[in-house]
Amino acid sequence: MLKNSFFKTIPFLLFIVLLNSCDKELNVVGEDLIGDNNFDIQKSEFDVVAYNQKLGPIQSNNLETNALGVYNNPSFGTTNANFVTQLTLASEGITFDASATIKSVVLSVPYFVDKTKTVTDASTGASTYVLDSIYGPDKAKMKLSVYESGYYMRDLDPESQFTQSQKYYTNQLSDFDQLKVGSPLNDASNTAENSQFFFDPVEHVVVTTTDGKETTTRSAPAMQLNLNAAFFTNKILKAPTTALSKNELFKDYFRGLFFKIEENGSGPGNLAMINFRAGKITITYTETISGVATEKTFVLNLTGNTVSLLNQSNTNPNYTSATDPANINKVNGDANLYLKGGEGSMSVLKLFSKTDNHGFELNEGPNGVPDELDDMRRNKYLVNQADLTFHLNSNAMGESYVPQRIYLYDFKNNQILVDYRETSTVSSNAKNNKYVFGGILLKRTDGSYDYKFRITNHIRNLVKYKDSTNVDLGLVVTEDINKSSFYTLRDKTGFPLKAPMASVMNPLGTIIFGNNIPISDPNYDKRLKFEIYYTKPN
């Protein structure tokens, strides 16, 4: 009887131990979420100063996606995005017979498509696509010229004794342009491949006949350019054997392709985000061996070093004025914050009031820490939630495309915030990952839009640890929230010296309200807000 009672008691004891362990774990993760009668949750709005910061030419090599095209952004100005890539051999050490003759050379680079809008006809298999990440008028015509590049892109920087990767920057268009070789390679009679180029959403259909049987192959929309066969005959089929033996030698022999795009006088262009690394050049040729003609293919991949070349022009006067150092108010903040990707601009934030009349204790002198933060530390406030909310200035944006996400980081140390690191939330759309951390454009019930960040753990650490530093925060647009590395500005003497790499990838800009808005202004309620929910012992 006692034995049975003992064994019945064991599961109950194990449950109590497990419950106690779980409770300890919860207290570690959310130790400040106090909910008993000794504490009252309060909400306060704290001061924050935010001002504009212009970014000059910035590193833009080896990005995962690159812009190509011309986008006239009414709120910021015109961005002309060109691109350079090295080519790599899909197969090293190939040799061609003297009888080899090229039939075609096709450059193919897939576009991004909105998969949720793809419609397929079940009876024919044909699909209708909608392109994604295209900005500007639909099917705008532009002049595209693809040249052989004469600029050798090194892997390593000789100034670092070849210990660091070589950097290339957004403003090096003239460097590559003056070293382009010969005439454009995309010289086919179809003007949609050159002088009347546009980003075509139509699927590609290829019909082949083998032994009298037709086969139809369908593929998603892509840039499809027929390149000059005579050039590739000389450059590839007649290349020295050593040049095709290894990619290291080939990248010096054939230094890559330079994609130069510009408006053709027919009207505004448009701009697309493209993953060039998924592209390739397929050379189809025949070789006659023992009297038998055999068709073969040889592939060059669009991999190796790349650089995005961004030329800015026709800058909006309001943007120019707002980012002019003479007009930036670093003390009291700016009324509007201009965040522009690429070679653009950002915002710098200073949390809490600058008032510093006392130290941690009221009878101590100023200590370089905002009194608001000292008071929270001294009174042992327990932070439940901390938010930064940025309202979109829809009137200033007008008809401009609005970036769907912005990114907040530690500006002083060029690193992520703890809330970014501790947020593991994922979405079916990778661009919406870390959605609890925030920065996603959201539409409110009143029709307005805002971006909101949750920086609870960052503020908790500031309050809990007296030796933690209240660093300035940086705010930029981002193309990919999952990328947190930083790229270097070309000016090594100015400040800042770095900016998030994902902001270089994004060609768009957004205008949000800052903190310095007079109470009499109709937009006063849309000013930048810094709110903290907290509890304190009675």
Side-chain angles (χ1 to χ4, degrees):
M1 185 72 177
L2 289 175
K3 187 175 181 180
N4 289 338
S5 176
F6 174 74
F7 282 107
K8 289 179 180 180
T9 304
I10 288 177
F12 175 76
L13 293 175
L14 289 173
F15 172 76
I16 295 297
V17 172
L18 179 61
L19 180 62
N20 185 53
S21 299
C22 291
D23 182 59
K24 288 181 179 178
E25 177 64 22
L26 286 173
N27 284 338
V28 171
V29 176
E31 59 183 335
D32 299 329
L33 299 178
I34 309 298
D36 60 35
N37 294 329
N38 294 324
F39 296 85
D40 294 317
I41 296 179
Q42 301 181 39
K43 170 190 171 184
S44 292
E45 186 173 323
F46 291 84
D47 287 344
V48 56
V49 169
Y51 59 86
N52 290 297
Q53 175 69 56
K54 190 75 176 73
L55 295 175
I58 189 169
Q59 180 186 353
S60 61
N61 55 301
N62 299 332
L63 299 172
E64 291 196 7
T65 58
N66 292 269
L68 181 71
V70 183
Y71 175 44
N72 297 302
N73 187 329
S75 302
F76 291 88
T78 301
T79 298
N80 189 315
N82 303 281
F83 177 73
V84 178
T85 180
Q86 288 180 320
L87 303 174
T88 58
L89 302 165
S91 301
E92 296 180 327
I94 191 170
T95 58
F96 297 98
D97 186 76
S99 66
T101 302
I102 288 181
K103 293 183 63 177
S104 66
V105 182
V106 179
L107 166 66
S108 177
V109 186
Y111 297 140
F112 290 116
V113 298
D114 187 341
K115 295 181 180 179
T116 65
K117 297 179 180 178
T118 301
V119 178
T120 302
D121 187 322
S123 60
T124 64
S127 296
T128 302
Y129 294 88
V130 175
L131 299 185
D132 191 18
S133 302
I134 301 282
Y135 309 108
D138 187 38
K139 298 182 181 180
K141 305 295 193 299
M142 296 168 288
K143 180 182 179 182
L144 174 64
S145 303
V146 181
Y147 294 93
E148 176 188 4
S149 175
Y151 191 111
Y152 179 63
M153 299 176 69
R154 292 186 297 261
D155 292 329
L156 300 175
D157 185 359
E159 292 186 2
S160 69
Q161 285 71 52
F162 299 99
T163 60
Q164 298 179 12
S165 297
Q166 178 68 54
K167 299 178 178 64
Y168 297 95
Y169 300 89
T170 52
N171 69 335
Q172 289 190 258
L173 174 61
S174 62
D175 295 341
F176 286 88
D177 192 30
Q178 66 185 358
L179 291 178
K180 63 182 182 292
V181 180
S183 302
L185 301 177
N186 58 324
D187 56 358
S189 59
N190 180 6
T191 58
E193 298 183 24
N194 38 67
S195 63
Q196 299 291 318
F197 173 82
F198 66 100
F199 299 110
D200 193 346
V202 176
E203 70 175 355
H204 287 279
V205 180
V206 177
V207 179
T208 56
T209 302
T210 304
D211 298 328
K213 182 180 180 181
E214 285 191 351
T215 301
T216 300
T217 303
R218 302 179 184 275
S219 58
M223 178 192 299
Q224 293 269 33
L225 305 178
N226 288 280
L227 303 184
N228 188 285
F231 169 85
F232 281 89
T233 296
N234 292 322
K235 197 71 179 182
I236 301 299
L237 298 191
K238 298 181 180 180
T241 304
T242 53
L244 303 179
S245 63
K246 292 183 179 298
N247 270 309
E248 289 76 10
L249 299 174
F250 179 72
K251 286 188 288 187
D252 187 19
Y253 168 70
F254 190 173
R255 297 186 172 185
L257 296 180
F258 171 32
F259 291 75
K260 183 177 182 179
I261 194 164
E262 53 199 320
E263 291 183 345
N264 64 3
S266 62
N270 61 7
L271 181 149
M273 298 302 299
I274 302 176
N275 177 15
F276 279 95
R277 290 187 179 278
K280 62 182 179 180
I281 295 175
T282 302
I283 301 174
T284 302
Y285 65 101
T286 58
E287 285 186 341
T288 302
I289 308 297
S290 301
V292 178
T294 304
E295 185 172 291
K296 300 180 179 180
T297 59
F298 178 65
V299 174
L300 298 173
N301 293 316
L302 272 63
T303 52
N305 292 313
T306 66
V307 59
S308 182
L309 304 168
L310 305 176
N311 185 39
Q312 310 290 338
S313 60
N314 303 320
T315 308
N316 182 296
N318 292 330
Y319 176 47
T320 300
S321 176
T323 55
D324 184 336
N327 298 328
I328 295 173
N329 193 337
K330 294 186 177 183
V331 176
N332 298 314
D334 291 326
N336 286 289
L337 306 177
Y338 288 76
L339 312 181
K340 172 69 170 65
E343 188 178 316
S345 57
M346 59 174 295
S347 179
V348 180
L349 280 66
K350 296 179 179 292
L351 302 182
F352 299 107
S353 168
K354 57 181 176 292
T355 302
D356 179 23
N357 293 325
H358 61 75
F360 177 72
E361 299 293 347
L362 293 176
N363 59 357
E364 295 177 348
N367 60 350
V369 175
D371 288 343
E372 289 178 335
L373 183 53
D374 271 329
D375 292 341
M376 295 183 74
R377 289 171 172 175
R378 184 179 62 260
N379 293 311
K380 299 181 179 180
Y381 286 13
L382 304 177
V383 176
N384 300 100
Q385 185 172 313
D387 299 325
L388 280 168
T389 304
F390 303 86
H391 290 273
L392 180 73
N393 189 335
S394 298
N395 289 334
M397 286 297 295
E399 298 300 318
S400 300
Y401 287 89
V402 180
Q404 296 302 296
R405 195 153 194 180
I406 59 178
Y407 172 57
L408 189 71
Y409 66 100
D410 177 344
F411 178 72
K412 179 181 178 181
N413 300 300
N414 292 315
Q415 62 184 25
I416 61 175
L417 295 179
V418 62
D419 296 85
Y420 177 98
R421 182 185 304 114
E422 294 184 0
T423 302
S424 58
T425 49
V426 296
S427 168
S428 57
N429 182 347
K431 289 189 175 183
N432 290 332
N433 287 349
K434 301 180 182 293
Y435 54 82
V436 172
F437 174 59
I440 300 173
L441 182 69
L442 297 175
K443 185 176 183 178
R444 299 304 175 186
T445 55
D446 62 358
S448 65
Y449 292 84
D450 64 37
Y451 303 94
K452 189 172 186 177
F453 289 95
R454 184 162 296 176
I455 55 171
T456 305
N457 291 310
H458 176 68
I459 300 302
R460 281 177 179 167
N461 289 343
L462 283 178
V463 173
K464 187 174 182 179
Y465 303 106
K466 289 172 56 178
D467 59 348
S468 58
T469 303
N470 180 32
V471 297
D472 292 348
L473 305 182
L475 187 68
V476 296
V477 297
T478 182
E479 179 68 18
D480 189 345
I481 192 64
N482 305 290
K483 309 301 179 186
S484 59
S485 58
F486 287 78
Y487 266 11
T488 304
L489 272 76
R490 193 168 192 182
D491 182 0
K492 304 298 190 297
T493 61
F495 190 78
L497 296 176
K498 293 184 177 182
M501 178 267 288
S503 71
V504 184
M505 293 163 57
N506 194 316
L508 303 180
T510 187
I511 306 172
I512 51 182
F513 289 106
N515 68 289
N516 193 5
I517 300 176
I519 194 170
S520 59
D521 192 301
N523 293 312
Y524 177 73
D525 289 338
K526 295 181 180 180
R527 71 194 184 282
L528 165 59
K529 288 184 175 62
F530 173 32
E531 299 168 308
I532 300 178
Y533 296 82
Y534 60 91
T535 58
K536 60 179 180 178
N538 292 327

